[in-house]
Amino acid sequence: MIPRNRRFLRAGGHWTIRRGMGHIQPARQKAHPMARRKKLYEGKAKILYEGPEPSTLVQYFKDDATAFNAEKRATIEGKGVLNNRLSEFFMTGLANIGVPTHFIKRLNMREQLIRQVEIIPLEVIVRNFAAGSMSKRLGLEEGTPLPRPIVEFSYKDDALGDPLVPEEYIMAFGWATQQDLDDIVALALRVNDYLSGVMYGVGIKLVDFKIEIGRVWDNDYMRLIVADEISPDSCRLWDIETGAHLDKDVFRRDLGSLTDAYTEVARRLGVLPTNVTHATKPTPIN
Ligand code: 5GP
């Protein structure tokens, strides 16, 4: 039996003993300054924590890599640090040309502050050249130029292997309306133009990429914004001169060091952190 004057309080994940408390205070109001934030979601490559303000989250980039629906797994030291920097670079560039994104600011080596969104359960894939699943499906040689950028949608469901879905399914199941889809395609093509240009400028061909889109509300007005991440984990990037893969296919296909590939992309873009292997813990910011 705990004496009445010794109460256990849960403060940001830590149990603490407070003496002489007349009542138990809500943990969130009196969070310990060193307390970890509340974890809301853990995915394959990222963790989402509660943010310091309403409608914000902290996105933490892990070093974990998975492929083939998580059948292949590894921890690649420094990947999270590189993806945090690269996603910051691309999201900031998009904001600068008027494409709305969830990115607010980078907090440290592995974390960024983002707007909380309601994720539309679709992977929005844009392709400029045939590769990956499109090459398999259509028997096209990888690298074949496409007649125009092609936007396709997969339903985000790991258990089902993120199946390709037609627009008819998306509207029938209520994941997005026709108007949403028109806006998503327009956003995806703007992202494609921006990313293709930036990558071309540093000698890299943007073969294809995946983005995710989230809904945010400003009062009653709903907007669609780019969410999740943009990094070599979610793009196919080929060196224009040599054709070398500088993206997650290096891991998927055992083509060498993933860290070296991502570091090369970061170096060319001028966003190389000084020490990519320095592991940081989530920093309390609230
Ligand atoms: P594919 O359909 O050819 O496998 O992938 C097309 C593009 O979308 C590639 O750039 C690939 O990296 C990206 N992509 C597709 N599914 C996923 C996914 O579940 N996670 C990530 N990070 N990227 C994906």
Side-chain angles (χ1 to χ4, degrees), residues 156-169:
K156 256 172 73 71
D157 187 314
D158 286 341
L160 298 175
D162 301 334
L164 187 69
V165 285
E167 293 193 4
E168 185 70 10
Y169 285 22

Side-chain angles (χ1 to χ4, degrees), residues 44-46 66 123-127 131-135 137 142 152 154 156 158 162 207-212 228-229 231-237 247-249 252-253:
K44 287 176 285 189
K46 297 186 293 296
T66 62
E123 297 192 335
V124 181
I125 294 169
V126 184
R127 300 179 188 271
S133 66
M134 173 184 254
S135 285
R137 194 177 308 117
E142 288 207 314
E152 66 184 42
S154 296
K156 256 172 73 71
D158 286 341
D162 301 334
V207 174
D208 57 31
F209 65 93
K210 182 262 311 185
I211 51 171
E212 295 185 22
D228 191 51
E229 73 177 295
S231 76
D233 265 10
S234 49
C235 301
R236 280 200 175 90
L237 305 171
D247 55 59
K248 202 167 139 189
D249 277 348
R252 294 187 188 105
R253 303 178 185 187

